Amino acid sequence: MYLTNDEEKMLAGEYGHSLQKATEILVALGDIYGAERLIPVKSAQIAGVSYKTIGDAGLEWILDLKGHVKVPSILNPAGMDIERWKDMGIEPSFANKQQKIIEAYARLGIRTKCTCTPYYLEGFNVGFGDHIAWSESSAVSYANSVIGARTNREGGPSALSAALVGKTANYGYHLDRMREPVIAVKVDCRLSGSDYGALGYVVGKDIGNRVPIFYMQDKPTNDEMKSLGAAMAASGAVALYHIEGVTPEAKANDFAMPCEVITVERKQIDEVYQASTHVRSADIITVGCPHCSPEELEEIALLVSGKKLKKEMWVCTAREVAQRYPELVERIEKSGAKIVCDTCMVVSPATNRYSSMTVNSGKALAYVPSMCKVAAKYASIEDCVIEAGVIDED
Ligand code: F3S
């Protein structure tokens, strides 16, 4: 792999041990995947933040790092709401370790707003064709597919290395030829809302990590595409998809239909809702996987306005988004639902104490049973609110 003089110096350790290690990781990946050079990235998003998932070994690794990131960099959700962790029932011993992880990242110059939706935040609004190094799988899918930016599905260490060096190896989804669809998905029914998460759940299981192009009757919103991509990245490992006539690269390229075609029917979408009916009555309802957009907060506020909820309900979103819309936060919290920031139902240990959860996310449906050991049930946002047990106050 060709390296500039400056990159050679980094690799030789002339700029310190951390930068040397970071360059070694990027060069090793570049060599494995046949990259010819490193390319600059516009931003980095770093997974491996929750103490629940990285433990003491991860904490020690981060504490050892020195230096400063070269591009705007942000963290993935942590294991707790940084301000309201006591309300979540988080143990002080966990909170203490979680704080140490966040402070260690902050010393490297990484913004400690913890979210899987960096594209809603100031400084992270990437555009078509921008090269970035993001690691959370739904953020990767959204950036690649809905925005048309370019990122591989980075691991925590490789995203952090890209942040410190300001570059990544030029392979995978940074290259035109790797972004072409290789399988067509015909959707044989009308879809709306949470149907897109169910579709992603079905298709991801079937196609693994391949790049699909969808042929659909409807034109999904950005939030619906966010749900579709998140679910496909979780039940499979899809990092990029196209929708004919909708996503930016499909519009720009006029892709030919791939030879391999699968068809999804309404029956398969319905089965995702029905498969979880053994969970009769969930004891917690969580929405916001990926973290809610302002439009989703507005929709939830409308659904819960003038109502009191009987059950615990979390609405996960980025702290910056919550701070931008205090009136929506107030309307939602007045119902008894909690706005939960910096974390989520999957990476926080706070959900482990429940026995069953209702979700409106195909990604949460895929991960909650395995990562939280909690049974999960899939429902539309309207049914999530009904499941929360509504008492009308009006
Ligand atoms: Fe985000 Fe957590 Fe879902 S990181 S995509 S809310 S599993």
Side-chain angles (χ1 to χ4, degrees):
M1 194 168 137
Y2 166 78
L3 295 180
T4 63
N5 280 345
D6 208 41
E7 290 160 2
E8 291 283 10
K9 286 182 187 169
M10 284 186 215
L11 193 59
E14 288 188 33
Y15 299 134
H17 182 68
S18 294
L19 214 43
Q20 181 182 29
K21 286 281 148 217
T23 314
E24 276 175 12
I25 289 173
L26 298 180
V27 170
L29 284 169
D31 283 342
I32 290 167
Y33 292 106
E36 290 177 355
R37 63 190 174 99
L38 298 178
I39 51 167
V41 290
K42 198 173 171 191
S43 64
Q45 190 251 3
I46 296 146
V49 181
S50 172
Y51 179 64
K52 171 179 164 177
T53 52
I54 68 170
D56 286 322
L59 171 59
E60 291 306 316
W61 184 75
I62 298 157
L63 283 173
D64 264 0
L65 294 169
K66 298 196 171 46
H68 200 279
V69 294
K70 295 209 172 56
V71 292
S73 303
I74 193 163
L75 296 180
N76 203 40
M80 62 188 200
D81 186 310
I82 291 162
E83 293 180 4
R84 298 168 78 184
W85 56 270
K86 281 189 190 150
D87 295 347
M88 295 176 73
I90 296 284
E91 294 293 327
S93 55
F94 182 95
N96 183 30
K97 301 265 189 175
Q98 186 61 76
Q99 280 297 358
K100 280 191 174 148
I101 292 169
I102 290 171
E103 284 160 16
Y105 278 126
R107 282 195 290 277
L108 300 173
I110 299 166
R111 292 190 214 175
T112 54
K113 288 173 175 158
C114 303
T115 183
C116 50
T117 54
Y119 39 88
Y120 297 145
L121 308 193
E122 292 285 328
F124 288 88
N125 45 354
V126 291
F128 187 84
D130 285 344
H131 294 276
I132 54 178
W134 289 9
S135 51
E136 195 282 317
S137 63
S138 79
V140 166
S141 173
Y142 193 92
N144 273 329
S145 315
V146 182
I147 300 173
R150 297 184 170 213
T151 178
N152 285 316
R153 194 167 154 157
E154 301 287 354
S158 65
L160 183 55
S161 299
L164 290 167
V165 175
K167 295 180 180 179
T168 192
N170 192 26
Y171 70 92
Y173 298 113
H174 293 284
L175 305 174
D176 286 346
R177 66 186 158 80
M178 300 301 287
R179 299 180 66 86
E180 290 178 12
V182 295
I183 181 164
V185 182
K186 283 189 181 173
V187 182
D188 210 14
C189 55
R190 307 297 304 266
L191 300 175
S192 69
S194 55
D195 291 344
Y196 285 93
L199 173 66
Y201 187 81
V202 169
V203 173
K205 278 189 171 179
D206 209 11
I207 69 168
N209 64 359
R210 290 184 284 170
V211 179
I213 180 163
F214 285 87
Y215 296 86
M216 297 185 179
Q217 300 173 28
D218 302 286
K219 189 176 174 204
T221 63
N222 283 4
D223 283 329
E224 288 168 338
M225 288 192 276
K226 179 173 75 168
S227 303
L228 170 67
M232 270 193 296
S235 68
V238 176
L240 162 66
Y241 66 89
H242 306 285
I243 303 176
E244 196 215 25
V246 177
T247 52
E249 268 170 273
K251 282 195 204 165
N253 285 294
D254 195 18
F255 293 123
M257 189 190 272
C259 300
E260 187 175 348
V261 182
I262 59 171
T263 303
V264 178
E265 298 172 351
R266 182 75 225 177
K267 184 172 155 285
Q268 291 161 275
I269 304 293
D270 291 341
E271 278 168 4
V272 177
Y273 294 92
Q274 287 153 7
S276 43
T277 47
H278 63 279
V279 180
R280 286 225 183 101
S281 176
D283 44 14
I284 181 169
I285 294 87
T286 65
V287 299
C289 171
H291 280 173
C292 283
S293 66
E295 292 75 21
E296 289 170 315
L297 289 181
E298 176 80 53
E299 186 184 8
I300 295 162
L302 275 173
L303 286 168
V304 301
S305 278
K307 302 190 166 85
K308 274 278 174 232
L309 307 183
K310 290 186 202 157
K311 292 184 186 172
E312 178 88 352
M313 178 167 173
W314 288 12
V315 178
C316 301
T317 191
R319 183 168 299 283
E320 190 175 309
V321 172
Q323 285 169 342
R324 235 185 278 151
Y325 297 92
E327 174 252 344
L328 290 178
V329 169
E330 194 186 330
R331 279 167 59 199
I332 291 169
E333 294 216 315
K334 215 170 156 203
S335 73
K338 291 181 180 142
I339 296 284
V340 175
C341 300
D342 318 310
T343 186
C344 77
M345 66 295 284
V346 171
V347 299
S348 172
T351 45
N352 295 15
R353 65 178 181 272
Y354 295 96
S355 61
S356 53
M357 186 188 297
T358 300
V359 299
N360 68 336
S361 154
K363 175 166 179 177
L365 183 70
Y367 283 169
V368 162
S370 57
M371 287 186 65
C372 310
K373 307 287 176 250
V374 175
K377 174 178 171 178
Y378 194 69
S380 66
I381 184 63
E382 292 83 2
D383 285 344
C384 281
V385 173
I386 291 169
E387 174 80 39
V390 167
I391 305 168
D392 251 309
E393 288 206 314
D394 294 338

